[in-house]
Amino acid sequence: MISRIKRYFLEIKNFSNPIELNLPENYQIFLNSKKDFQINKFFYKQIGIDHYWRDRLLWSDKEWFVYVKNENLETHILKKGKGEDGGFVGFYEQEYHPRTNEVELINMGIFKEFRGLKLGSMLLNHAIASASRKNPNRMWVHTCSLDHKHALQNYKSKGFEIFKEEEIDFVA
């Protein structure tokens, strides 16, 4: 079945607004410094299933490995609990593009059982703060009508502005 979906491209250029990074007690966000592609693959499959993320489902482990080893790619992980005992809650991937001095927020998501707790908003704040440390010209992201129902509003509430909209065919 083919349906039409709306896709939105958003950007933020002003990083001067203070960003609140107050995580609830017992939550932590950390950088996946080991660059373990299995973590990215896991999040992509498990969170993406609710939003029809499919592009990377065909990737081989070698393609995942190459993708994650990109020196400009960062994966940040949100966990509940401390240390090694913490359980996964969500993640985001962002890539710095040095040629254009931009940060692209590639994927971001929270597991279904943690939605509605404002953790996506906090994760986005963290992504913006992380990107701003690179002093980029802009940070950009795209979302669509298949993503979480509050995704577009979350981006807009943090200062992202739509710079392009389109409708595309989607085969379910």
Side-chain angles (χ1 to χ4, degrees):
M1 174 178 181
I2 297 177
S3 58
R4 301 286 285 169
I5 62 167
K6 283 199 90 156
R7 189 160 47 182
Y8 305 90
F9 294 81
L10 301 100
E11 65 186 357
I12 187 170
K13 294 181 177 181
N14 180 357
F15 296 93
S16 64
N17 295 333
I19 297 173
E20 206 172 298
L21 292 176
N22 298 330
L23 282 173
E25 189 175 333
N26 209 27
Y27 286 87
Q28 61 180 324
I29 300 173
F30 67 94
L31 176 66
N32 177 17
S33 57
K34 294 179 184 175
K35 292 198 167 252
D36 178 358
F37 77 89
Q38 294 289 357
I39 290 174
N40 295 67
K41 185 177 177 180
F42 169 78
F43 278 121
Y44 187 85
K45 286 181 173 183
Q46 297 305 312
I47 292 174
I49 197 164
D50 295 332
H51 308 291
Y52 298 94
W53 295 355
R54 305 188 295 196
D55 298 353
R56 297 188 206 166
L57 294 179
L58 300 175
W59 283 11
S60 67
D61 282 353
K62 182 178 180 183
E63 288 170 301
W64 276 103
F65 178 83
V66 169
Y67 172 74
V68 171
K69 290 300 179 183
N70 173 352
E71 66 182 18
N72 293 313
L73 181 78
E74 294 180 354
T75 303
H76 295 258
I77 299 169
L78 174 60
K79 289 178 85 174
K80 183 177 184 180
K82 299 295 180 192
E84 296 295 318
D85 297 329
F88 290 144
V89 174
F91 83 122
Y92 70 87
E93 296 172 344
Q94 65 183 15
E95 182 178 5
Y96 176 65
H97 300 285
R99 189 177 55 74
T100 55
N101 191 31
E102 299 176 346
V103 176
E104 176 185 1
L105 181 57
I106 298 171
N107 283 308
M108 185 178 96
I110 302 288
F111 286 119
K112 191 181 304 185
E113 58 269 27
F114 294 99
R115 294 180 191 149
L117 302 174
K118 306 270 186 226
L119 296 171
S121 179
M122 288 180 248
L123 197 57
L124 181 54
N125 277 343
H126 190 276
I128 295 167
S130 176
S132 71
R133 289 191 280 278
K134 295 170 180 56
N135 198 26
N137 295 330
R138 74 176 185 149
M139 179 182 193
W140 68 277
V141 64
H142 75 270
T143 189
C144 74
S145 53
L146 296 173
D147 285 338
H148 188 273
K149 63 184 178 182
H150 298 300
L152 181 60
Q153 185 53 42
N154 190 19
Y155 294 123
K156 289 171 134 183
S157 74
K158 303 294 187 272
F160 281 84
E161 296 178 357
I162 296 172
F163 68 90
K164 180 181 173 184
E165 289 182 48
E166 62 187 12
E167 283 195 25
I168 59 172
D169 289 334
F170 177 77
V171 181

